[in-house]
Each structure stands twice: as C-alpha cells, then as structure tokens.
Amino acid sequence: MALTRLERLKFRLLADGVRIDPSAARAWHEQFEGPMTLAEYATTSGVSLVLPGELYVNAPQGEDADLPAFRHGSDGYVVTTSDGDVPLTVVPVPAFQDRTVRDRDDDTLQPMTNYGVTHTDRCRVSPIGGCAWRCKFCDLPYEFQYRKKRQEHLLEVIEAAAVDPQAPARHVLVSGGTPRAPIPDRPGRPGSDDEAWIDGVYGYLAEHSPLPVDVMLPPRKDLNHPFRLRELGINMLSINLEVSDPARTKQIAPAKARVGREHTLDYIERAVEAFDVGFVQSLVVFGAAIEPMESTLQGVQDLVDRGAIPVLSAFRPHASTPMRDAPPASLEEMVEIYERTLEICERADNGVRPGPRCIACHHNTVTLPDASGFYSGPDDDLTLRPCRVC
Ligand code: SF4
C-alpha cells in the first residue's frame, strides 16, 4: 500500500522533527499554561501535533533550516513544507505539570510529574523511579536512582489527570522501570519482593483509578502470572520484546537477554490467552542502531503469530544513554517497517494490526489509523470487550 502525503508527513515529522517558528511558540504560550513539551523521555520529548485524519505525532524540535516549520498564522497552527501548508491542531502538556504532591514519607512537596505525566490522552505513572535493568537505549536507569513510590501518590496524579482542564486523560499506563527480582531471606538479612509489591500497586490502581488501567511490564517467571493480572482488573498489557535478535539483545539489553526470547514469547502467548487478542501489545524498537530490519521483522512475525499487537517504536537516541551517538531510525526505515508489518498482519488474518489501538497514543509510534475498526478514537470506550472473568 502507498502512504498518502499526510501519512508520509506524519512519519517525516516523527523521524526528523520540526523547526518551531516564534509565531507558534507565541500562540502556544498565549493559549496554554506550561511549556510546549515536558521532554521527559526520548520518544515523548517532542511537541504533540495532530495532522488532518487523526494523525498524531510527537515531533522532536530541531533547528535545521530544511525541517518542516511549525507556525501559527491567521488560520491557526500549520506545518509548512516545500509542498505548502498543512493545518493541524496541537495537544498541550497537562496543567497539573506545575502542581505538587505532599510526600507522605518525608513531608516534602514533590512535583506531580515525579509520579506521572500525560501524553495526549494517556497518563503514564511509574511506581518505580529508575529501573533494576539497564538497557543501553533507555534513559531511565541512567537518569534516576532506583526507588519505590507510594501508590497513593500515583493515584493522586491519576485523579488530577482525569479532570485536567488542559489535557484530560482517558486512560492510564502503569509503566517501568522493572522491579528488582525477589531476594530470599538470609540469616541476619531480610529478603524483599519488589515484584509482589508492584503487583499490589497494579491491583490498588486498577481498583481505585477513575480511568481504565493498562500495565507495561517485563515477563515474570510464572507463566500463570497474566491470569492473576487480569483478575486484578487491569485492562490491557504491554510486554515488550524490544530487541528481537538474541545476540544483539545480550549486547544492548543484557537483563532482557537473561530472561530469554523464548520465555518472553511464551509469557506473551499466555497473556493473550488471559486478556484476548487485541488487549496485549509488545513494543519493538527498530532502527539500524538497534538491529537489522529483517531481525526486527522476525520479532514482529513472532508477536503477530501469538495474537499480540506489535508496536513499532522508532529508536531515538537519548543524551544520557550509552547509545547517545547512534543514529535515530530514518524515515525510510519507518515506511518500510510499517508496510511490511501491515503485510505480516494481513497474512496472519487474526485481527491484529500495528498498535497501539488508541489513536491518540499513536503519537510516538509508527502507526496510522484506518477503517478496520481496530483503533479507538476519542469517543470510543477503551474497555469494551467480552468479559473473560465474570
Ligand atoms: S527494562 Fe524498560 S525501563 Fe528498564 S532499562 Fe529496559 S527499557 Fe528502560
């Protein structure tokens, strides 16, 4: 299939970014509170723009004169390319970004964004600061020390996000870092089980959140674990393959390599049994700096074969990681991987398409809405499904 001009523009903005004209910055600051981006993670560090046809894109900011220009004129916001102006709308950062939470442990005031951030319509909260793992393409373990956060503070942010006057959230993603593996009791030294602790946080948030709760987590040893997560009331799971080739995984995501590709795929398969096709997704990070395209596509094939939604996440280097100087995924790589992933999905014919399903969450992924009915727009119920539990 050939991409339309606007679809190609979305991928171009995702790959190369935009140059922000002072007219756009001025209009944005008159209209909204806060900065244009919270720039808190490599793949969400840009400005959130919406091209016609519900094409959401997180466009990194650049200075190059050849980049498309994000401007504001008499007809509103536009992006200007050599083909002319394309009108667009924008998604601001949430107003809660300048609010604080009183920490119940040390009575200090902490920015709400230490606990959660909304991008487009999804509030992402992180029960763990930092991560027990150290993937070389991810900034979390290099920027933040490992620490567990109180579930009550996460809920406070979700409640604020749900009624945010500037960027109200419709759903929640409880995301990484990865909890430390359980440590058994030893004489004179009590053990700990951060996996059990975080499962408790998932359950608490699923029970008390005013919004549906999705969870992103690495596979556990126990292949029955996804069934327990489903019983907690979690809406969707994201279990990320990220790197497909085992040798390359060992180099750039060594902890993930110790879990093993086969076990990860087995866990994903059980998750699909527990949650249904359409409710389990898996990010694959692509780009020449990560691994060869054919290897990534083998991962996509293995996910689709198991009924999991492949989410194509373009590698964007972060300055604080060991891969800071590696090249980002290119526009050509984006187009090729998207088209070939679509072919894999069409051949499998099991209802899976490139994810995520929420159209607003397409903003930092290589995905496009279509007429298949697979994707959820702003007025769709994100929890609609046959009940598997009752
Ligand atoms: S497991 Fe996830 S959060 Fe942790 S370092 Fe790897 S990519 Fe980052």
Side-chain angles (χ1 to χ4, degrees):
M1 74 152 286
L3 299 182
T4 66
R5 184 175 73 95
L6 289 176
E7 289 170 343
R8 200 175 163 84
L9 177 60
K10 162 179 167 156
F11 289 170
R12 182 174 175 208
L13 295 178
L14 190 61
D16 300 336
V18 283
R19 188 167 43 80
I20 296 186
D21 186 81
S23 61
R26 225 174 12 251
W28 191 301
H29 292 307
E30 279 167 17
Q31 197 177 352
F32 304 116
E33 291 174 30
M36 296 173 89
T37 173
L38 297 176
E40 43 65 76
Y41 193 72
T43 59
T44 52
S45 57
V47 287
S48 290
L49 309 176
V50 191
L51 300 169
E54 293 192 297
L55 298 172
Y56 283 76
V57 58
N58 184 279
Q61 302 175 46
E63 304 294 334
D64 195 330
D66 294 339
L67 287 176
F70 172 42
R71 300 189 303 109
H72 187 270
S74 52
D75 292 331
Y77 294 103
V78 293
V79 64
T80 303
T81 71
S82 52
D83 292 336
D85 286 354
V86 174
L88 49 78
T89 55
V90 300
V91 188
V93 301
F96 75 71
Q97 54 83 29
D98 63 1
R99 288 177 54 190
T100 51
V101 172
R102 184 161 296 280
D103 188 291
R104 295 181 194 197
D105 292 322
D106 60 13
D107 207 36
T108 56
L109 283 176
Q110 296 290 331
M112 277 197 167
T113 50
N114 281 5
Y115 300 96
V117 178
T118 301
H119 294 290
T120 64
D121 72 355
R122 184 179 70 192
C123 175
R124 192 190 75 223
V125 293
S126 306
I128 290 173
C131 184
W133 292 2
R134 287 173 91 77
C135 303
K136 293 186 180 162
F137 47 82
C138 172
D139 62 309
L140 281 187
Y142 301 98
E143 294 230 303
F144 304 103
Q145 273 207 321
Y146 185 92
R147 88 184 160 92
K148 294 188 283 183
K149 302 176 193 173
R150 269 185 177 264
Q151 57 191 14
E152 295 84 357
H153 297 152
L154 303 173
L155 181 62
E156 212 174 310
V157 173
I158 291 170
E159 288 170 344
V163 295
D164 192 88
Q166 195 156 277
R170 287 202 314 141
H171 56 149
V172 173
L173 175 67
V174 188
S175 84
T178 298
R180 284 184 178 137
I183 302 170
D185 284 337
R186 291 206 189 120
R189 213 178 89 184
S192 62
D193 191 343
D194 288 0
E195 291 183 350
W197 165 80
I198 206 168
D199 285 354
V201 176
Y202 298 153
Y204 173 85
L205 295 178
E207 183 182 351
H208 296 285
S209 164
L211 302 170
V213 171
D214 303 340
V215 166
M216 179 181 279
L217 80 168
R220 298 285 176 80
K221 276 194 183 132
D222 178 6
L223 292 178
N224 288 321
H225 184 246
F227 291 89
R228 292 206 296 282
L229 294 176
R230 183 75 186 98
E231 283 163 14
L232 292 176
I234 289 158
N235 187 48
M236 287 185 77
L237 286 189
S238 191
I239 308 138
N240 301 335
L241 183 64
E242 276 163 345
V243 188
S244 178
D245 176 65
R248 192 62 183 138
T249 309
K250 207 168 169 185
Q251 290 170 341
I252 61 176
K256 200 169 267 285
R258 284 194 287 278
V259 172
R261 190 178 193 278
E262 284 316 306
H263 181 76
T264 299
L265 291 171
D266 288 347
Y267 185 92
I268 289 170
E269 193 169 332
R270 295 306 299 274
V272 175
E273 282 173 41
F275 280 76
D276 257 335
V277 171
F279 291 88
V280 178
Q281 67 177 34
S282 182
L283 264 71
V284 287
V285 186
F286 71 90
I290 298 292
E291 62 183 328
M293 169 85 58
E294 297 307 321
S295 173
T296 305
L297 285 165
Q298 183 59 57
V300 169
Q301 181 76 61
D302 292 339
L303 292 170
V304 172
D305 286 347
R306 287 161 176 79
I309 303 164
V311 176
L312 304 171
S313 182
F315 171 64
R316 204 183 267 179
H318 190 284
S320 60
T321 67
M323 292 182 72
R324 66 182 71 84
D325 296 325
S330 67
L331 171 61
E332 292 69 30
E333 286 172 317
M334 289 187 186
V335 173
E336 180 178 353
I337 201 162
Y338 178 71
E339 291 180 344
R340 294 181 67 186
T341 296
L342 265 189
E343 286 166 17
I344 289 172
C345 292
E346 274 156 21
R347 271 199 310 274
D349 195 25
N350 60 1
V352 164
R353 313 279 296 167
R357 291 181 72 183
C358 169
I359 290 172
C361 293
H362 287 186
H363 71 112
N364 61 347
T365 64
V366 174
T367 320
L368 301 167
D370 62 20
S372 64
F374 183 71
Y375 299 106
S376 309
D379 299 323
D380 296 326
D381 179 358
L382 291 168
T383 62
L384 200 62
R385 69 155 102 216
C387 179
R388 303 271 301 196
V389 181
C390 54

